[in-house]
Protein backbone atom coordinates (compact mmCIF):
# COMPACT_ATOMS: atom_id res chain seq x y z
CA UNK A 1 0.00 0.00 0.00
CA UNK A 2 1.32 3.45 -0.91
CA UNK A 3 1.97 5.86 1.94
CA UNK A 4 3.90 9.09 2.53
CA UNK A 5 6.48 9.30 5.30
CA UNK A 6 6.32 12.64 7.07
CA UNK A 7 8.65 13.78 9.86
CA UNK A 8 7.46 16.56 12.17
CA UNK A 9 10.19 18.25 14.21
CA UNK A 10 8.98 19.70 17.52
CA UNK A 11 7.23 18.71 20.70
CA UNK A 12 4.55 21.23 21.68
CA UNK A 13 0.92 22.09 21.08
CA UNK A 14 1.68 23.47 17.63
CA UNK A 15 3.27 20.19 16.58
CA UNK A 16 0.37 18.19 18.02
CA UNK A 17 -1.99 20.33 15.91
CA UNK A 18 0.18 19.86 12.81
CA UNK A 19 0.36 16.11 13.35
CA UNK A 20 -3.45 15.89 13.61
CA UNK A 21 -3.99 17.85 10.38
CA UNK A 22 -1.30 15.96 8.49
CA UNK A 23 -2.43 12.52 9.70
CA UNK A 24 -5.98 13.23 8.43
CA UNK A 25 -4.69 13.49 4.83
CA UNK A 26 -6.00 11.28 2.03
CA UNK A 27 -2.34 10.73 1.07
CA UNK A 28 -2.17 8.04 3.76
CA UNK A 29 0.77 9.51 5.71
CA UNK A 30 2.88 7.75 8.28
CA UNK A 31 3.78 10.42 10.80
CA UNK A 32 7.12 10.39 12.59
CA UNK A 33 8.00 12.94 15.24
CA UNK A 34 11.41 14.12 16.42
CA UNK A 35 10.88 15.47 19.90
CA UNK A 36 13.01 16.56 22.85
CA UNK A 37 10.55 14.86 25.21
CA UNK A 38 7.69 12.40 24.83
CA UNK A 39 4.57 14.44 24.17
CA UNK A 40 1.73 11.90 24.68
CA UNK A 41 -0.54 13.54 22.11
CA UNK A 42 2.04 13.55 19.35
CA UNK A 43 3.10 10.01 20.26
CA UNK A 44 -0.49 8.79 19.94
CA UNK A 45 -0.95 10.38 16.51
CA UNK A 46 2.37 9.08 15.22
CA UNK A 47 1.82 5.51 16.37
CA UNK A 48 -1.79 5.54 15.18
CA UNK A 49 -0.58 6.39 11.68
CA UNK A 50 2.02 3.61 11.64
CA UNK A 51 4.92 5.89 12.52
CA UNK A 52 6.59 6.62 15.83
CA UNK A 53 7.99 9.34 18.09
CA UNK A 54 11.77 9.52 18.39
CA UNK A 55 13.58 11.33 21.19
CA UNK A 56 16.05 13.79 19.75
CA UNK A 57 17.92 17.03 20.47
CA UNK A 58 15.88 19.06 17.99
CA UNK A 59 18.35 21.98 18.19
CA UNK A 60 21.26 19.82 17.04
CA UNK A 61 21.57 19.52 13.25
CA UNK A 62 23.87 16.50 13.76
CA UNK A 63 21.38 14.64 15.96
CA UNK A 64 18.42 15.55 13.74
CA UNK A 65 20.08 14.41 10.50
CA UNK A 66 21.12 11.14 12.13
CA UNK A 67 17.54 10.35 13.19
CA UNK A 68 16.07 11.51 9.87
CA UNK A 69 18.44 9.29 7.90
CA UNK A 70 17.15 6.29 9.86
CA UNK A 71 13.56 7.15 8.88
CA UNK A 72 14.23 8.30 5.28
CA UNK A 73 11.07 10.45 4.98
CA UNK A 74 9.43 11.93 1.91
CA UNK A 75 8.73 15.25 3.65
CA UNK A 76 9.94 17.06 6.77
CA UNK A 77 8.02 19.80 8.62
CA UNK A 78 10.05 21.95 11.03
CA UNK A 79 7.58 23.24 13.61
CA UNK A 80 9.30 25.60 16.10
CA UNK A 81 11.57 28.56 15.44
CA UNK A 82 14.63 27.51 17.47
CA UNK A 83 15.59 24.53 15.23
CA UNK A 84 15.41 26.96 12.30
CA UNK A 85 17.68 29.42 14.11
CA UNK A 86 20.16 26.60 14.83
CA UNK A 87 20.44 25.59 11.17
CA UNK A 88 18.42 22.36 11.24
CA UNK A 89 16.54 23.22 8.05
CA UNK A 90 19.79 24.13 6.30
CA UNK A 91 21.41 20.77 7.00
CA UNK A 92 18.30 18.81 6.00
CA UNK A 93 18.09 20.64 2.68
CA UNK A 94 21.81 20.15 2.05
CA UNK A 95 21.19 16.41 2.48
CA UNK A 96 18.54 16.57 -0.24
CA UNK A 97 15.39 16.29 1.88
CA UNK A 98 12.12 18.07 1.03
CA UNK A 99 11.67 20.47 3.95
CA UNK A 100 8.83 22.77 4.96
CA UNK A 101 10.54 25.33 7.19
CA UNK A 102 12.68 28.44 6.90
CA UNK A 103 16.45 28.23 6.61
CA UNK A 104 18.52 30.03 9.25
CA UNK A 105 19.07 33.10 7.05
CA UNK A 106 15.36 33.40 6.23
CA UNK A 107 14.38 32.76 9.86
CA UNK A 108 16.31 35.92 10.75
CA UNK A 109 13.00 37.69 10.08
CA UNK A 110 11.85 36.27 13.43
CA UNK A 111 15.11 35.76 15.26
CA UNK A 112 16.28 39.37 14.95
CA UNK A 113 13.60 41.97 15.53
CA UNK A 114 16.12 44.62 14.48
CA UNK A 115 16.70 42.88 11.14
CA UNK A 116 12.95 42.84 10.55
CA UNK A 117 12.55 46.56 11.31
CA UNK A 118 15.54 47.52 9.18
CA UNK A 119 14.19 45.45 6.28
CA UNK A 120 10.80 47.16 6.40
CA UNK A 121 12.33 50.64 6.44
CA UNK A 122 14.83 49.83 3.68
CA UNK A 123 12.06 48.70 1.33
CA UNK A 124 9.49 51.24 2.62
CA UNK A 125 6.91 48.58 3.41
CA UNK A 126 3.65 49.84 4.98
CA UNK A 127 3.00 49.01 8.62
CA UNK A 128 6.50 49.84 9.87
CA UNK A 129 7.32 51.46 13.21
CA UNK A 130 10.12 53.77 14.32
CA UNK A 131 12.75 52.02 16.44
CA UNK A 132 16.18 52.20 18.03
CA UNK A 133 18.42 49.21 18.69
CA UNK A 134 21.25 48.98 21.19
CA UNK A 135 24.13 46.60 21.77
CA UNK A 136 24.58 47.54 25.44
CA UNK A 137 22.65 49.15 28.27
CA UNK A 138 25.07 52.06 28.41
CA UNK A 139 24.09 52.99 24.85
CA UNK A 140 20.41 52.76 25.70
CA UNK A 141 20.28 54.66 29.01
CA UNK A 142 20.53 58.21 27.68
CA UNK A 143 17.89 57.52 25.05
CA UNK A 144 15.50 55.93 27.53
CA UNK A 145 15.76 58.94 29.85
CA UNK A 146 14.13 61.02 27.13
CA UNK A 147 12.14 58.35 25.31
CA UNK A 148 8.53 58.99 26.37
CA UNK A 149 6.01 56.44 25.01
CA UNK A 150 7.96 53.34 24.00
CA UNK A 151 7.91 49.55 23.92
CA UNK A 152 10.97 47.71 25.23
CA UNK A 153 11.76 44.30 23.74
CA UNK A 154 14.63 41.84 23.74
CA UNK A 155 16.29 42.26 20.36
CA UNK A 156 16.03 38.50 19.77
CA UNK A 157 13.00 36.22 19.69
CA UNK A 158 12.84 34.92 23.25
CA UNK A 159 9.69 32.80 23.30
CA UNK A 160 7.37 35.75 23.88
CA UNK A 161 9.20 36.89 27.01
CA UNK A 162 10.30 40.36 27.97
CA UNK A 163 8.03 42.74 26.02
CA UNK A 164 6.97 45.77 28.10
CA UNK A 165 4.91 48.81 27.13
CA UNK A 166 5.67 52.18 28.75
CA UNK A 167 3.10 54.94 28.32
CA UNK A 168 4.43 58.32 29.48
CA UNK A 169 1.19 60.27 29.72
CA UNK A 170 1.65 62.18 33.00
CA UNK A 171 4.42 64.81 32.88
CA UNK A 172 4.78 64.89 36.67
CA UNK A 173 5.71 61.18 36.63
CA UNK A 174 8.26 61.41 33.82
CA UNK A 175 11.32 61.14 36.07
CA UNK A 176 9.94 58.10 37.87
CA UNK A 177 8.95 56.41 34.60
CA UNK A 178 12.37 57.13 33.14
CA UNK A 179 13.93 55.32 36.09
CA UNK A 180 11.54 52.38 35.65
CA UNK A 181 12.36 52.15 31.93
CA UNK A 182 16.07 52.08 32.68
CA UNK A 183 15.69 49.39 35.36
CA UNK A 184 13.57 47.25 33.08
CA UNK A 185 16.04 47.61 30.21
CA UNK A 186 18.84 46.43 32.49
CA UNK A 187 16.70 43.47 33.55
CA UNK A 188 15.97 42.54 29.92
CA UNK A 189 19.65 42.52 29.01
CA UNK A 190 20.89 40.78 32.16
CA UNK A 191 18.15 38.15 32.46
CA UNK A 192 16.36 37.50 29.17
CA UNK A 193 19.13 38.27 26.69
CA UNK A 194 21.85 36.64 28.78
CA UNK A 195 20.70 33.28 27.39
CA UNK A 196 21.43 34.31 23.80
CA UNK A 197 24.85 34.98 22.29
CA UNK A 198 23.91 34.48 18.64
CA UNK A 199 22.85 38.05 17.99
CA UNK A 200 24.69 41.38 18.32
CA UNK A 201 21.88 43.67 19.43
CA UNK A 202 20.55 43.28 22.96
CA UNK A 203 17.68 45.77 23.27
CA UNK A 204 15.02 47.07 20.90
CA UNK A 205 13.05 50.24 21.65
CA UNK A 206 10.00 50.85 19.46
CA UNK A 207 7.47 53.62 19.27
CA UNK A 208 4.34 52.73 21.20
CA UNK A 209 1.10 52.27 19.28
CA UNK A 210 -2.31 51.31 20.55
CA UNK A 211 -4.79 49.07 18.82
CA UNK A 212 -6.14 45.58 18.32
CA UNK A 213 -3.74 42.70 17.65
CA UNK A 214 -4.27 39.74 15.32
CA UNK A 215 -2.17 37.12 13.56
CA UNK A 216 -1.99 36.42 9.84
CA UNK A 217 -0.40 33.01 9.16
CA UNK A 218 0.55 32.17 5.59
CA UNK A 219 2.04 29.28 3.65
CA UNK A 220 4.52 30.12 0.89
CA UNK A 221 6.72 28.37 -1.64
CA UNK A 222 8.68 31.56 -2.27
CA UNK A 223 6.60 32.41 -5.31
CA UNK A 224 3.02 32.33 -4.13
CA UNK A 225 1.45 32.99 -0.74
CA UNK A 226 -1.66 31.29 0.64
CA UNK A 227 -3.09 33.26 3.59
CA UNK A 228 -4.82 31.43 6.41
CA UNK A 229 -7.85 32.83 8.28
CA UNK A 230 -7.00 35.57 10.78
CA UNK A 231 -6.60 34.50 14.41
CA UNK A 232 -6.33 36.63 17.53
CA UNK A 233 -3.94 35.46 20.24
CA UNK A 234 -4.28 36.51 23.90
CA UNK A 235 -0.75 36.76 25.30
CA UNK A 236 -1.49 38.10 28.80
CA UNK A 237 -1.72 35.52 31.57
CA UNK A 238 -4.96 36.63 33.23
CA UNK A 239 -8.48 37.77 32.38
CA UNK A 240 -8.97 41.33 31.11
CA UNK A 241 -5.50 41.25 29.51
CA UNK A 242 -3.75 41.54 32.86
CA UNK A 243 -0.54 39.92 34.05
CA UNK A 244 2.73 39.05 32.32
CA UNK A 245 2.96 38.20 28.65
CA UNK A 246 3.09 34.49 27.84
CA UNK A 247 3.59 32.36 24.76
CA UNK A 248 -0.20 32.61 24.31
CA UNK A 249 -3.12 31.86 26.64
CA UNK A 250 -5.60 31.17 23.88
CA UNK A 251 -6.93 32.39 20.57
CA UNK A 252 -10.11 32.99 18.59
CA UNK A 253 -10.90 32.67 14.89
CA UNK A 254 -13.78 33.31 12.56
CA UNK A 255 -16.18 33.38 11.03
CA UNK A 256 -14.47 32.92 7.67
CA UNK A 257 -11.22 34.69 6.84
CA UNK A 258 -11.60 37.63 9.21
CA UNK A 259 -12.47 38.38 12.82
CA UNK A 260 -15.48 40.31 14.17
CA UNK A 261 -13.32 43.44 14.56
CA UNK A 262 -11.21 43.23 11.37
CA UNK A 263 -12.63 44.19 7.98
CA UNK A 264 -11.92 42.27 4.76
CA UNK A 265 -9.95 45.18 3.26
CA UNK A 266 -7.75 45.19 6.38
CA UNK A 267 -7.20 41.48 5.87
CA UNK A 268 -6.19 42.18 2.25
CA UNK A 269 -3.81 44.95 3.35
CA UNK A 270 -2.23 42.60 5.89
CA UNK A 271 -1.69 39.98 3.18
CA UNK A 272 -0.07 42.65 0.99
CA UNK A 273 2.34 43.57 3.80
CA UNK A 274 3.36 39.94 4.36
CA UNK A 275 3.92 39.47 0.61
CA UNK A 276 6.08 42.60 0.42
CA UNK A 277 8.16 41.51 3.42
CA UNK A 278 8.60 38.07 1.85
CA UNK A 279 9.76 39.63 -1.42
CA UNK A 280 12.21 41.93 0.38
CA UNK A 281 13.50 39.13 2.61
CA UNK A 282 14.24 36.80 -0.32
CA UNK A 283 15.98 39.65 -2.15
CA UNK A 284 18.27 40.45 0.77
CA UNK A 285 19.00 36.85 1.78
CA UNK A 286 19.10 35.48 -1.79
CA UNK A 287 17.23 32.33 -0.81
CA UNK A 288 13.76 30.97 -1.47
CA UNK A 289 11.34 30.78 1.43
CA UNK A 290 9.45 27.48 1.77
CA UNK A 291 7.37 27.29 4.91
CA UNK A 292 5.04 29.26 7.12
CA UNK A 293 5.47 33.02 7.45
CA UNK A 294 3.25 34.73 10.00
CA UNK A 295 2.69 38.41 10.69
CA UNK A 296 1.82 39.44 14.24
CA UNK A 297 -0.20 42.51 13.35
CA UNK A 298 -1.98 45.35 15.12
CA UNK A 299 -4.66 47.67 13.80
CA UNK A 300 -3.25 51.08 14.80
CA UNK A 301 -4.13 54.77 14.32
CA UNK A 302 -0.81 55.23 12.50
CA UNK A 303 -1.09 52.77 9.59
CA UNK A 304 -4.18 50.65 10.09
CA UNK A 305 -2.58 47.19 9.67
CA UNK A 306 0.82 47.49 11.40
CA UNK A 307 3.57 44.93 11.98
CA UNK A 308 4.43 44.07 15.57
CA UNK A 309 6.72 41.17 14.65
CA UNK A 310 7.11 38.24 12.28
CA UNK A 311 7.21 34.48 12.91
CA UNK A 312 9.08 32.11 10.61
CA UNK A 313 6.55 29.37 11.50
CA UNK A 314 2.91 28.86 12.45
CA UNK A 315 1.75 30.54 15.64
CA UNK A 316 1.12 28.58 18.82
CA UNK A 317 -1.69 28.30 19.84
CA UNK A 318 -3.06 30.03 16.72
CA UNK A 319 -2.48 27.11 14.37
CA UNK A 320 -4.86 24.96 16.45
CA UNK A 321 -7.75 27.22 15.42
CA UNK A 322 -7.29 26.05 11.84
CA UNK A 323 -8.09 22.39 12.53
CA UNK A 324 -11.91 22.62 12.24
CA UNK A 325 -12.07 25.32 9.56
CA UNK A 326 -9.62 24.44 6.78
CA UNK A 327 -11.69 22.55 4.22
CA UNK A 328 -8.59 21.31 2.42
CA UNK A 329 -6.10 18.46 2.65
CA UNK A 330 -3.43 20.06 4.83
CA UNK A 331 -0.67 17.68 3.76
CA UNK A 332 -1.42 18.47 0.11
CA UNK A 333 -1.02 22.16 0.99
CA UNK A 334 2.38 21.53 2.61
CA UNK A 335 3.50 19.26 -0.24
CA UNK A 336 2.49 21.89 -2.80
CA UNK A 337 4.65 24.47 -1.03
CA UNK A 338 7.67 22.17 -0.93
CA UNK A 339 7.29 21.23 -4.62
CA UNK A 340 6.76 24.87 -5.75
CA UNK A 341 3.20 24.17 -6.87
CA UNK A 342 1.34 26.38 -4.41
CA UNK A 343 -0.33 28.33 -7.21
CA UNK A 344 -2.61 25.35 -7.85
CA UNK A 345 -3.98 25.37 -4.30
CA UNK A 346 -7.37 26.96 -3.72
CA UNK A 347 -7.90 27.47 -0.01
CA UNK A 348 -11.37 26.65 1.28
CA UNK A 349 -12.42 27.89 4.71
CA UNK A 350 -15.60 27.12 6.58
CA UNK A 351 -17.45 30.37 7.23
CA UNK A 352 -20.27 28.91 9.33
CA UNK A 353 -18.32 28.33 12.55
CA UNK A 354 -15.97 30.08 14.96
CA UNK A 355 -13.19 28.51 17.00
CA UNK A 356 -11.80 29.16 20.48
CA UNK A 357 -8.58 27.78 21.96
CA UNK A 358 -7.74 28.05 25.67
CA UNK A 359 -4.44 27.10 27.25
CA UNK A 360 -4.38 25.52 30.71
CA UNK A 361 -1.22 26.35 32.63
CA UNK A 362 0.43 25.35 35.91
CA UNK A 363 0.89 27.99 38.60
CA UNK A 364 4.32 29.54 38.15
CA UNK A 365 4.06 29.87 34.38
CA UNK A 366 5.44 31.97 32.72
CA UNK A 367 7.86 33.62 35.16
CA UNK A 368 8.80 30.73 37.46
CA UNK A 369 8.79 27.60 35.34
CA UNK A 370 10.92 25.65 37.82
CA UNK A 371 8.10 25.44 40.36
CA UNK A 372 5.62 24.74 37.54
CA UNK A 373 7.54 21.67 36.42
CA UNK A 374 7.14 18.02 37.35
CA UNK A 375 3.52 17.93 38.50
CA UNK A 376 1.37 14.89 37.59
CA UNK A 377 -1.53 15.76 35.29
CA UNK A 378 -4.98 14.28 34.83
CA UNK A 379 -6.87 14.94 31.58
CA UNK A 380 -10.46 13.74 31.24
CA UNK A 381 -10.42 13.33 27.45
CA UNK A 382 -13.72 11.42 27.42
CA UNK A 383 -15.73 14.24 28.96
CA UNK A 384 -13.90 16.80 26.83
CA UNK A 385 -14.96 14.86 23.71
CA UNK A 386 -18.52 14.83 25.07
CA UNK A 387 -18.39 18.64 24.97
CA UNK A 388 -17.38 18.42 21.31
CA UNK A 389 -13.86 19.69 21.97
CA UNK A 390 -10.29 18.49 21.44
CA UNK A 391 -7.20 18.45 23.65
CA UNK A 392 -3.82 19.39 22.23
CA UNK A 393 -0.94 18.37 24.46
CA UNK A 394 1.70 21.07 24.87
CA UNK A 395 4.08 21.31 27.86
CA UNK A 396 3.36 17.82 29.10
CA UNK A 397 5.69 14.82 29.18
CA UNK A 398 5.11 11.10 29.39
CA UNK A 399 7.05 9.74 32.35
CA UNK A 400 8.69 6.35 32.77
CA UNK A 401 5.89 5.29 35.10
CA UNK A 402 3.26 5.90 32.41
CA UNK A 403 2.04 9.10 34.03
CA UNK A 404 2.08 12.53 32.39
CA UNK A 405 3.88 15.49 33.96
CA UNK A 406 4.16 19.24 33.45
CA UNK A 407 7.29 20.60 31.79
CA UNK A 408 6.77 24.08 33.27
CA UNK A 409 5.06 25.54 30.22
CA UNK A 410 1.42 25.49 29.05
CA UNK A 411 -0.01 22.05 29.87
CA UNK A 412 -2.63 21.63 27.16
CA UNK A 413 -4.65 23.67 24.71
CA UNK A 414 -8.40 23.06 24.53
CA UNK A 415 -9.95 23.56 21.09
CA UNK A 416 -13.69 24.10 20.69
CA UNK A 417 -15.79 25.19 17.71
CA UNK A 418 -19.41 26.12 17.05
CA UNK A 419 -21.72 28.77 15.66
CA UNK A 420 -21.51 31.30 18.51
CA UNK A 421 -18.44 32.60 20.35
CA UNK A 422 -20.16 32.89 23.72
CA UNK A 423 -21.41 29.30 23.66
CA UNK A 424 -18.07 27.95 22.39
CA UNK A 425 -16.19 29.87 25.08
CA UNK A 426 -18.42 28.41 27.82
CA UNK A 427 -17.75 24.87 26.59
CA UNK A 428 -14.03 25.57 26.46
CA UNK A 429 -14.14 26.77 30.07
CA UNK A 430 -15.88 23.59 31.17
CA UNK A 431 -13.23 21.53 29.37
CA UNK A 432 -10.40 23.57 30.92
CA UNK A 433 -11.70 22.58 34.36
CA UNK A 434 -11.16 18.93 33.39
CA UNK A 435 -7.38 19.36 33.26
CA UNK A 436 -5.89 19.23 36.74
CA UNK A 437 -2.66 18.43 38.58
CA UNK A 438 -3.37 15.34 40.67
CA UNK A 439 -0.94 16.48 43.38
CA UNK A 440 -3.11 19.52 44.02
CA UNK A 441 -0.84 22.02 42.25
CA UNK A 442 -3.02 24.89 40.98
CA UNK A 443 -3.73 25.46 37.30
CA UNK A 444 -5.21 28.50 35.57
CA UNK A 445 -6.67 29.60 32.23
CA UNK A 446 -8.33 32.66 30.66
CA UNK A 447 -12.08 32.36 31.16
CA UNK A 448 -12.76 35.54 29.18
CA UNK A 449 -11.33 34.49 25.80
CA UNK A 450 -14.18 34.39 23.29
CA UNK A 451 -16.73 36.02 25.59
CA UNK A 452 -19.24 38.51 24.26
CA UNK A 453 -17.83 41.23 26.53
CA UNK A 454 -14.22 40.86 25.40
CA UNK A 455 -15.10 40.69 21.71
CA UNK A 456 -17.32 43.78 22.06
CA UNK A 457 -14.40 45.58 23.68
CA UNK A 458 -12.16 44.61 20.75
CA UNK A 459 -14.81 45.82 18.29
CA UNK A 460 -15.10 49.19 20.04
CA UNK A 461 -11.32 49.60 20.10
CA UNK A 462 -11.04 48.70 16.41
CA UNK A 463 -13.71 51.25 15.48
CA UNK A 464 -11.88 54.01 17.35
CA UNK A 465 -8.59 53.11 15.68
CA UNK A 466 -10.22 52.79 12.25
CA UNK A 467 -11.70 56.28 12.47
CA UNK A 468 -8.27 57.77 13.17
CA UNK A 469 -6.20 55.95 10.56
CA UNK A 470 -8.83 56.50 7.86
CA UNK A 471 -8.87 60.22 8.70
CA UNK A 472 -5.08 60.32 8.45
CA UNK A 473 -5.20 58.60 5.06
CA UNK A 474 -7.87 60.90 3.67
CA UNK A 475 -5.92 63.98 4.76
CA UNK A 476 -2.45 62.69 3.86
CA UNK A 477 -1.23 62.98 7.44
CA UNK A 478 1.16 60.04 7.31
CA UNK A 479 4.38 62.04 7.03
CA UNK A 480 7.51 62.07 9.21
CA UNK A 481 8.71 61.53 12.76
CA UNK A 482 11.80 63.16 14.26
CA UNK A 483 13.73 61.36 17.00
CA UNK A 484 16.59 62.89 18.99
CA UNK A 485 19.28 61.18 21.05
CA UNK A 486 21.49 63.48 23.14
CA UNK A 487 25.02 63.40 21.83
CA UNK A 488 24.09 61.27 18.80
CA UNK A 489 21.93 63.60 16.77
CA UNK A 490 18.55 63.44 15.04
CA UNK A 491 16.89 60.59 13.17
CA UNK A 492 14.07 61.36 10.74
CA UNK A 493 11.56 58.60 9.95
CA UNK A 494 9.74 59.17 6.69
CA UNK A 495 6.51 57.14 6.72
CA UNK A 496 5.49 58.20 3.20
Amino acid sequence: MFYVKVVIIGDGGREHALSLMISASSLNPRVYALSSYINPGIKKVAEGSGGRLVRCDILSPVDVISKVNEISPDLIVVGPEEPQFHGVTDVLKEEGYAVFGATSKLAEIEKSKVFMRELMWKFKIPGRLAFKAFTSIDEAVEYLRNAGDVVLKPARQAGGKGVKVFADLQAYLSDIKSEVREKYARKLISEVMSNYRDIEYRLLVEERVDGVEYTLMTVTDGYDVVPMPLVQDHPHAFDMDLGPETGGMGSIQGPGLTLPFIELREFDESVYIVKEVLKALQTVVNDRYVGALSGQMMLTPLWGPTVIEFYSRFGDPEVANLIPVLDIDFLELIEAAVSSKLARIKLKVRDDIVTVVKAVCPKGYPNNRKVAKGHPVTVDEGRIRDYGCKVLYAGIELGGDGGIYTTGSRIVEVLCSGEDYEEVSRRANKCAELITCSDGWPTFYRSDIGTRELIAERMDAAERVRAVYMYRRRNNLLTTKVDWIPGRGVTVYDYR
Side-chain angles (χ1 to χ4, degrees):
M1 182 178 182
F2 174 79
Y3 58 85
V4 177
K5 277 188 181 180
V6 181
V7 165
I8 299 174
I9 298 175
D11 40 39
R14 167 182 43 240
E15 289 71 45
H16 190 185
L18 292 174
S19 68
L20 285 170
M21 289 192 284
I22 288 171
S23 66
S25 171
S26 61
L27 297 177
N28 190 31
R30 286 190 179 177
V31 175
Y32 295 78
L34 300 189
S35 175
S36 57
Y37 59 88
I38 302 177
N39 178 312
I42 299 174
K43 181 176 184 290
K44 182 178 179 180
V45 174
E47 293 178 351
S49 72
R52 65 181 185 276
L53 183 148
V54 179
R55 291 286 296 271
C56 175
D57 180 358
I58 63 174
L59 303 187
S60 167
V62 174
D63 199 15
V64 169
I65 198 68
S66 172
K67 299 296 193 297
V68 166
N69 284 340
E70 293 174 7
I71 299 168
S72 189
D74 301 294
L75 176 65
I76 301 170
V77 178
V78 183
E81 67 277 13
E82 286 296 338
Q84 298 173 2
F85 299 166
H86 283 75
V88 168
T89 303
D90 305 57
V91 171
L92 291 170
K93 286 192 170 184
E94 287 166 7
E95 288 290 314
Y97 287 107
V99 186
F100 182 87
T103 60
S104 58
K105 288 183 179 180
L106 292 166
E108 198 78 5
I109 194 69
E110 174 171 6
K111 179 182 175 182
S112 174
K113 299 172 186 179
V114 180
F115 172 81
M116 181 271 289
R117 289 289 175 216
E118 289 176 340
L119 186 77
M120 292 190 69
W121 280 97
K122 179 179 179 179
F123 287 86
K124 295 186 176 181
I125 299 170
R128 58 193 185 272
L129 295 175
F131 73 99
K132 291 291 182 184
F134 302 93
T135 57
S136 71
I137 188 61
D138 293 333
E139 289 183 326
V141 165
E142 193 65 35
Y143 180 74
L144 290 173
R145 287 174 180 163
N146 300 276
D149 287 6
V150 291
V151 179
L152 268 60
K153 296 180 177 182
R156 185 194 191 277
Q157 172 58 259
K161 294 181 290 186
V163 178
K164 191 79 169 178
V165 178
F166 290 90
D168 196 1
L169 303 178
Q170 302 100 337
Y172 65 94
L173 293 177
S174 290
D175 290 343
I176 295 173
K177 290 189 176 183
S178 176
E179 183 179 339
V180 172
R181 285 195 295 268
E182 181 181 336
K183 286 182 177 179
Y184 189 74
R186 292 184 184 278
K187 180 180 179 182
L188 268 185
I189 291 175
S190 64
E191 295 183 12
V192 177
M193 287 300 295
S194 64
N195 299 317
Y196 305 106
R197 296 297 174 193
D198 57 353
I199 192 169
E200 178 186 6
Y201 286 105
R202 315 310 289 163
L203 182 70
L204 180 66
V205 183
E206 294 178 346
E207 65 177 310
R208 183 180 75 88
V209 285
D210 291 314
V212 179
E213 290 195 49
Y214 57 97
T215 305
L216 171 61
M217 297 178 285
T218 72
V219 170
T220 181
D221 59 4
Y223 306 110
D224 293 280
V225 173
V226 175
M228 303 291 108
L230 296 184
V231 181
Q232 186 184 55
D233 183 26
H234 297 67
H236 292 280
F238 309 126
D239 283 17
M240 305 306 296
D241 299 324
L242 299 176
E245 289 211 0
T246 71
M249 290 299 297
S251 44
I252 63 172
Q253 173 277 326
L257 288 174
T258 64
L259 290 154
F261 37 82
I262 303 296
E263 296 181 352
L264 186 58
R265 60 183 174 82
E266 292 162 346
F267 169 82
D268 291 337
E269 288 182 26
S270 302
V271 173
Y272 173 78
I273 290 171
V274 171
K275 286 181 175 179
E276 289 299 297
V277 168
L278 174 66
K279 189 189 307 179
L281 175 62
Q282 292 184 132
T283 298
V284 168
V285 172
N286 193 28
D287 194 6
R288 186 165 63 89
Y289 199 118
V290 177
L293 179 62
S294 306
Q296 184 66 37
M297 315 290 290
M298 178 184 282
L299 200 68
T300 72
L302 179 63
W303 284 100
T306 304
V307 174
I308 302 302
E309 58 188 25
F310 269 92
Y311 306 142
S312 56
R313 34 80 187 184
F314 291 111
D316 187 2
E318 295 101 314
V319 71
N321 293 84
L322 303 182
I323 295 174
V325 299
L326 291 187
D327 194 10
I328 188 175
D329 190 308
F330 190 74
L331 180 54
E332 286 188 1
L333 173 68
I334 299 299
E335 194 277 334
V338 171
S339 58
S340 304
K341 297 177 181 177
L342 203 57
R344 73 183 186 187
I345 296 295
K346 302 300 180 186
L347 187 69
K348 296 179 181 179
V349 177
R350 291 189 59 180
D351 58 6
D352 58 336
I353 61 171
V354 299
T355 62
V356 174
V357 174
K358 300 201 180 192
V360 180
C361 308
K363 181 182 177 182
Y365 175 80
N367 292 334
N368 191 355
R369 300 192 185 202
K370 282 187 177 180
V371 302
K373 184 177 181 179
H375 300 283
V377 176
T378 300
V379 180
D380 193 339
E381 285 202 42
R383 290 182 63 191
I384 291 171
R385 281 194 298 271
D386 290 342
Y387 281 116
C389 302
K390 292 181 182 294
V391 178
L392 302 173
Y393 288 85
I396 195 167
E397 181 175 14
L398 184 64
D401 61 356
I404 52 177
Y405 297 86
T406 61
T407 66
S409 188
R410 295 167 293 186
I411 302 172
V412 302
E413 297 160 3
V414 174
L415 165 65
C416 294
S417 62
E419 297 179 358
D420 174 71
Y421 270 119
E422 185 78 12
E423 184 272 333
V424 173
S425 178
R426 280 197 298 267
R427 276 193 287 126
N429 288 346
K430 290 178 180 179
C431 292
E433 295 290 342
L434 299 174
I435 293 97
T436 58
C437 291
S438 53
D439 63 354
W441 189 258
T443 61
F444 67 95
Y445 64 94
R446 287 274 303 259
S447 64
D448 64 336
I449 295 173
T451 59
R452 185 177 294 109
E453 292 79 9
L454 192 58
I455 291 175
E457 183 181 298
R458 301 283 198 257
M459 293 174 72
D460 289 344
E463 280 302 315
R464 291 194 299 270
V465 166
R466 192 170 290 119
V468 176
Y469 87 72
M470 290 301 293
Y471 175 83
R472 291 171 64 90
R473 288 185 185 184
R474 286 194 302 269
N475 293 277
N476 196 28
L477 297 178
L478 193 63
T479 54
T480 59
K481 172 186 172 73
V482 178
D483 205 1
W484 170 67
I485 304 179
R488 292 178 61 181
V490 172
T491 301
V492 178
Y493 297 94
D494 187 350
Y495 293 101
R496 293 170 294 185

